[in-house]
Amino acid sequence: MAAAPNPMAMSTKRICLRRLIPDDFQLLGLLNNDEGVMTYLDHEPPSVEKVKFEVQHIIDYYTRWPKFGRWIAEGLKGEFLGWFCLAGSEQEMPATLELGYRLRRQYWGMGLATEGARLLLGYAFSHHPTVERVIGITMFINERSRHVMEKCGMRHAKTFHLIFEDPLPGTEHGEVLYEITKDEWKKQQT
């Protein structure tokens, strides 16, 4: 097994991933307020206070699980693209991790979400023997996110319905869970 990439900073040909720092609440605020980004997440972007709390929670997660969590995604010239996430239970080292991503609208449709997601799948399965499965969850109607997961080799595992006090449009179609196992991922690499 090759040495694992440094979880503090990883990269592809077009994306550099780095750990969050406290001031990144400003970048997350910019992302959350970008038109269309919150469509499948919430009715409105979270407040600055909530984003600051979220960033601190992400940084605290690194202490417990230094190899996983959320990364800021930047282009090769340092431009802020969005974020990627590979995380699991906060209680124990899980055999299943959840993949997530969120990009600024101006970077949609360029293959960057797929590129970053593939990087994290390779990182999870090549360098962490306890990881057996990676999942991704989105709204059924979020075709862009579903397409990214499919391009990464993930398959639709189930559709399920949650109850929300103030549901988003499309909630009635449910949520979808995509997954890929380590064995499935390895077969795709040959």
Side-chain angles (χ1 to χ4, degrees), residues 57 61 64-65 88-92:
H57 181 75
Y61 185 91
R64 182 142 171 95
W65 304 113
S89 165
E90 295 189 23
Q91 307 306 315
E92 59 186 59

Side-chain angles (χ1 to χ4, degrees), residues 159-180:
T159 300
F160 58 98
H161 292 81
L162 300 173
I163 297 172
F164 297 96
E165 284 184 30
D166 188 12
L168 293 169
T171 298
E172 66 276 11
H173 299 288
E175 308 287 317
V176 289
L177 183 140
Y178 278 72
E179 68 180 0
I180 186 169

Side-chain angles (χ1 to χ4, degrees), residues 47-111:
S47 68
V48 172
E49 293 76 25
K50 284 184 180 179
V51 175
K52 285 181 179 180
F53 179 80
E54 175 187 11
V55 169
Q56 188 55 55
H57 181 75
I58 292 165
I59 293 169
D60 292 345
Y61 185 91
Y62 299 151
T63 304
R64 182 142 171 95
W65 304 113
K67 296 178 181 181
F68 302 107
R70 195 178 312 179
W71 292 264
I72 289 290
E74 297 174 329
L76 299 181
K77 296 179 183 177
E79 64 276 22
F80 173 59
L81 306 175
W83 59 254
F84 288 86
C85 179
L86 186 63
S89 165
E90 295 189 23
Q91 307 306 315
E92 59 186 59
M93 182 57 211
T96 298
L97 294 174
E98 184 173 351
L99 174 71
Y101 38 83
R102 194 177 304 171
L103 295 177
R104 294 174 64 198
R105 185 180 187 94
Q106 71 191 76
Y107 299 110
W108 292 0
M110 298 178 169

Side-chain angles (χ1 to χ4, degrees), residues 40 101 105 108-109 141-149:
Y40 303 109
Y101 38 83
R105 185 180 187 94
W108 292 0
I141 63 170
N142 188 347
E143 293 178 12
R144 287 180 179 270
S145 188
R146 292 180 71 171
H147 186 63
V148 167
M149 290 186 274

Side-chain angles (χ1 to χ4, degrees), residues 25-46 51 80-83 102-108:
F25 79 89
Q26 296 172 40
L27 295 177
L28 295 189
L30 176 70
L31 176 64
N32 292 340
N33 284 286
D34 199 346
E35 182 184 347
V37 169
M38 299 299 290
T39 300
Y40 303 109
L41 302 168
D42 208 338
H43 292 286
E44 60 184 47
V51 175
F80 173 59
L81 306 175
W83 59 254
R102 194 177 304 171
L103 295 177
R104 294 174 64 198
R105 185 180 187 94
Q106 71 191 76
Y107 299 110
W108 292 0

